[in-house]
Amino acid sequence: MPIFIKYWKETSEMYPQENEKKVKLYTGSYNAPVVTGDGSVYLGNGQGICLWEFDESTGEVRLEESWPEALNASWLTISPDGKMLYAVNELDDYEGTMGGALSAYRIDMQGYLAADSILPVMGAAPCHVSCDGSGRHVFTANYNGGSMSCFRLSPDGGLAEMDGQLVHSFGEKENADGRERLRHPVRQEKPHVHSAAVKDGFVWVADLGTDEISCYELDEEGKPGKCAASVFLEAGSGPRSFAFSQAGNMVYVTCELKNRIAVYRWEKEERRLSFVQMVSSLPEEEAGVESSIGGIVLSDDGRYIYVGNRGADTIGVFAVDNDGLLSPVQWISSEGKNPRGFTLAPSGGWLLAANQDSDNLVVFERESETGLLRKKKVYEAGAVVCLLFAE
């Protein structure tokens, strides 16, 4: 059962007049077969990439257009100049390459997409994509391929070529402390790169299969160079997704297989990651529930973190103190099954969550002072797993 640790407070200041506007929202969904983490084949009934209009003043969502030809667009990102959208195609074999693909779309003034280019990632099931700050490279995390692919962009933002790839393997450095790592027999049978997230001139990589998080410094061309820092989490943790403080000195990592949030301090000048805290994503009374933590989002003011608990089917809310430490505030029902994707609206007054297995999109009101959520509206949305606002 979801529990509330603090109370919702009504306030007339929740939605200032200047935030009463309509904004564009993109969603990515599953609509083609793909091998999942447990080895089964999944086929979702999504519509590829969809464009929605979201009303910040009312919390209403309206579908404008869909692009069903975008196969398994499970993660989306927008270029720094806002002119291009990049989507992974989470496939196991794109045109005989034994891997998925990366697609680039041009965004017009109304937010509509036009296909520009597509390239194979040379790794199975790409599930995450991010841009470097200069808009010269894009990176994909290839889950079943156990790799990260690097793509050079053309001057107009299209995909020029794949000009680098990092391939993980089980190696000696995992057991440098002399202890054998006891991996999950099904989920960690090989490396599984789950995220490749860019922050302040570094690309951060989470490998669910090897329990390693690492970061690579980007060179003058925006390509990853040598590894700047790397740490192994407790065996069987399964690191998945990142969130970063605005200053970049705190790193938050969801540990999918342990239902925990790991907190690290990043000392950029020393290139050092220091462990700070490990917090359960579930309340004590649900510790035995079959569930796995997924995504993580940090509010713009840095005061609250939101995580998705898939199985318990809740959104967990955690307060962030001045030292970056986390404490639970609320667990609220996601109003569906498998809350895979969620994001905060640009105003910060709403959280939108997509339940992949129950095909719905839920709008929650968010009180900025306390971080608390309250259900507002529920919409049909097939197998949505990624939500991205175009600000």
Side-chain angles (χ1 to χ4, degrees), residues 20-23 53-61 350:
E20 295 185 0
K21 59 182 181 180
K22 296 179 180 179
V23 292
E53 182 182 76
F54 178 67
D55 192 328
E56 288 265 27
S57 61
T58 64
E60 294 179 347
V61 178
W350 309 90

Side-chain angles (χ1 to χ4, degrees), residues 256-384:
E256 178 172 333
L257 305 182
K258 293 285 190 181
N259 289 312
R260 297 173 183 169
I261 308 168
V263 183
Y264 285 86
R265 181 167 286 106
W266 170 233
E267 298 170 271
K268 182 177 179 180
E269 297 303 319
E270 293 79 11
R271 304 295 195 263
R272 183 168 59 233
L273 271 170
S274 301
F275 175 77
V276 175
Q277 185 187 27
M278 188 72 75
V279 181
S280 173
S281 68
L282 298 172
E284 290 184 9
E285 60 268 29
E286 293 186 4
V289 173
E290 185 175 346
S291 187
S292 61
I293 185 174
I296 183 169
V297 173
L298 178 65
S299 61
D300 284 346
D301 60 11
R303 298 175 59 196
Y304 294 98
I305 270 182
Y306 298 84
V307 297
N309 294 306
R310 304 169 304 146
D313 296 330
T314 59
I315 303 296
V317 186
F318 293 80
V320 184
D321 70 14
N322 292 334
D323 295 320
L325 301 179
L326 305 182
S327 58
V329 172
Q330 178 190 25
W331 284 274
I332 184 171
S333 170
S334 68
E335 302 294 332
K337 297 181 180 180
N338 191 359
R340 173 83 176 269
F342 55 96
T343 190
L344 293 172
S347 68
W350 309 90
L351 183 142
L352 281 69
N355 293 290
Q356 176 184 343
D357 295 344
S358 51
D359 297 328
N360 65 8
L361 177 64
V362 185
V363 180
F364 294 90
E365 293 178 286
R366 174 180 177 269
E367 188 182 58
S368 59
E369 185 60 31
T370 64
L372 295 177
L373 302 176
R374 182 173 62 179
K375 185 188 78 171
K376 179 69 173 181
K377 297 176 182 291
V378 181
Y379 299 87
E380 292 184 2
V384 168

Side-chain angles (χ1 to χ4, degrees), residues 29-176:
S29 61
Y30 285 111
N31 58 352
V34 66
V35 177
T36 66
D38 63 8
S40 62
V41 177
Y42 172 74
L43 174 59
N45 59 350
Q47 300 182 63
I49 299 175
C50 291
L51 172 65
W52 308 74
E53 182 182 76
F54 178 67
D55 192 328
E56 288 265 27
S57 61
T58 64
E60 294 179 347
V61 178
R62 181 177 64 85
L63 179 63
E64 290 193 348
E65 187 58 88
S66 63
W67 290 268
E69 64 274 17
L71 300 180
N72 286 359
S74 62
W75 201 267
L76 315 172
T77 193
I78 292 177
S79 61
D81 62 10
K83 296 180 180 180
M84 300 293 296
L85 181 143
Y86 304 100
V88 293
N89 301 111
E90 191 173 332
L91 305 169
D92 292 298
D93 192 4
Y94 168 71
E95 296 189 348
T97 62
M98 298 184 68
L102 173 64
S103 297
Y105 297 86
R106 299 202 172 275
I107 305 174
D108 71 13
M109 294 297 291
Q110 285 73 45
Y112 286 77
L113 304 179
D116 178 89
S117 47
I118 182 171
L119 288 175
V121 302
M122 307 308 293
C127 59
H128 189 264
V129 59
S130 61
C131 288
D132 77 325
S134 68
R136 290 178 294 179
H137 280 87
V138 173
F139 309 95
T140 67
N142 310 317
Y143 181 81
N144 285 335
S147 61
M148 177 187 74
S149 299
C150 174
F151 292 84
R152 182 175 62 84
L153 301 177
S154 59
D156 64 359
L159 302 176
E161 62 175 343
M162 189 181 89
D163 63 352
Q165 189 174 60
L166 171 72
V167 181
H168 280 187
S169 62
F170 292 132
E172 293 182 0
K173 66 177 182 177
E174 294 178 272
N175 303 318

